[in-house]
Amino acid sequence: MINPASRTKSIELSQIRKMFEVANPNAINLGIGEPDFNVPENIKNAMKNSIDENDTHYTSNKGLIELREEIVKKFKNENGIKTNTENIIVTVGASEALFMCAQAFIEKGDDVILPNPSFLSYEACVNIAGGTIVPVDCKMENEFKLKADDVAEKITKNTKAIILNSPSNPTGAVMEKEDIKAIADLSMDNNFLIISDEIYEKIIYDKKHYSPAKYSDNVITLNGFSKTYAMTGLRIGYLTANEFYTEELLKIHQYNIACANTTSQRGAYEALTGPQDEVEKMVNEFKNRRNLIVSRLNEMGYETVNAEGAFYVFPKIDDENFVSKAAEAGVITVPGVAFGSNGKGHVRMSYANSYENIEKAMDILEERVVNG
């Protein structure tokens, strides 16, 4: 057998995907962060028409020009970000965009600040690139929100980047405007890069989303269609940054992917230009589910922050065997420690499942795990 490259030795397969692969098909899955809604019909039809019209050839490396034009409008109108079509790259999901950022800008000797806990792909991408993780505690008493003062304490001459994710996976925390702006100011004062993963920006309850790129030029903004339009398997995302950053990112994208899926790009164009009614319905339903799962977990004695966005809760559960007990009882969850050391003593549960299934899952946990 040939030994793998040394850069993969510190990487483990995703614990989330492990849970997904081994889950009992009859279990209620609160482990995967995937909307249980279907792609809206207008988006489906746009993609069907694309195939029927034989629109299945390469696009520009950066993506369809008409899609990039709509993304420019979206950034201006919704995020206050000034950009142009040359500074947009359409990617194979936000995951590719994240990997591109790490490969283009992070190398051995670079420190990358990460919220702790945070989405496990961030640490993996930084490790593959050779960077060093510098964690910043996101405490439950602060509703798991990343605070600018805590970030400032971690900045050194080796700081190359920080990865932000608001709303947060795994906690559902939404950062405050003053912290976003303060970190943006820090990025300019100390010349480091902000990689802002905004994939959950539309799934927010009773709060407002703020983009750091509105306040700093040292930002790469990542987004996509997976969560907002339930287009997870269609793998379509995008990013924007200034001209210098975009040119470096394009080098990675060009030689790795060439271009994003043409049919998915047609669907993405329709998603941005078509009606948004289904998005509003989906977010309202997520809010109802959030209220249900938070109240039930708190009633069971599992202290749970009332998550302000995304579709995750991160209850405090000190039982190290909870995840396996829950799985045996028929409910799939993810151990919090998969998202960083501060995740220890917590469990991530996704409420991207039907209201009825969440009710059943809570009943199972109460009867067979808490009182079993």
Side-chain angles (χ1 to χ4, degrees), residues 167-372:
S168 163
N169 175 6
T171 66
V174 176
M175 290 182 65
E176 302 295 340
K177 179 182 179 180
E178 55 266 31
D179 290 306
I180 291 282
K181 189 176 186 305
I183 292 171
D185 290 342
L186 287 170
S187 77
M188 296 295 285
D189 294 340
N190 296 277
N191 195 32
F192 63 83
L193 184 64
I194 297 175
I195 301 168
S196 182
D197 181 355
E198 304 183 16
I199 193 71
Y200 295 100
E201 67 160 346
K202 292 292 183 71
I203 307 174
I204 293 183
Y205 325 109
D206 308 318
K207 295 282 287 188
K208 187 176 178 181
H209 173 76
Y210 295 94
S211 296
K214 183 177 180 180
Y215 311 107
S216 169
D217 196 40
N218 278 345
V219 183
I220 304 172
T221 305
L222 319 183
N223 212 320
F225 298 85
S226 292
K227 314 301 182 181
T228 302
Y229 300 97
M231 294 171 67
T232 51
L234 294 165
R235 309 310 305 132
I236 189 77
Y238 55 94
L239 63 79
T240 193
N242 65 36
E243 183 177 359
F244 172 78
Y245 294 149
T246 305
E247 183 174 344
E248 298 306 308
L249 291 162
L250 185 61
K251 295 175 185 177
I252 306 299
H253 176 73
Q254 188 177 69
Y255 292 114
N256 184 34
I257 299 299
C259 70
N261 180 295
T262 305
T263 302
S264 294
Q265 289 192 61
R266 291 296 180 189
Y269 175 82
E270 176 61 27
L272 290 179
T273 58
Q276 304 297 306
D277 310 45
E278 293 302 313
V279 176
E280 185 177 348
K281 290 178 186 176
M282 183 174 68
V283 173
N284 287 336
E285 178 59 20
F286 278 140
K287 184 177 181 179
N288 290 336
R289 297 174 186 181
R290 187 276 311 266
N291 294 342
L292 169 66
I293 197 169
V294 168
S295 63
R296 288 295 304 274
L297 288 167
N298 281 327
E299 287 168 7
M300 283 184 251
Y302 298 132
E303 183 183 355
T304 306
V305 171
N306 195 36
E308 295 175 332
F311 36 67
Y312 308 103
V313 288
F314 208 59
K316 186 176 182 180
I317 299 176
D318 292 324
D319 182 356
E320 293 182 0
N321 298 314
F322 177 88
V323 171
S324 59
K325 289 177 182 176
E328 290 172 7
V331 179
I332 304 302
T333 59
V334 180
V337 74
F339 304 95
S341 58
N342 270 1
K344 185 176 174 60
H346 293 270
V347 172
R348 192 191 79 168
M349 298 184 192
S350 166
Y351 48 92
N353 208 318
S354 71
Y355 193 95
E356 293 72 22
N357 276 345
I358 294 169
E359 282 187 311
K360 291 177 185 176
M362 296 301 103
D363 289 342
I364 290 169
L365 294 180
E366 186 169 16
E367 293 167 10
R368 299 184 57 185
V369 178
V370 178
N371 300 323

Side-chain angles (χ1 to χ4, degrees), residues 104-115:
F105 293 103
I106 298 168
E107 59 190 339
K108 187 174 181 180
D110 291 337
D111 287 349
V112 179
I113 297 173
L114 280 189

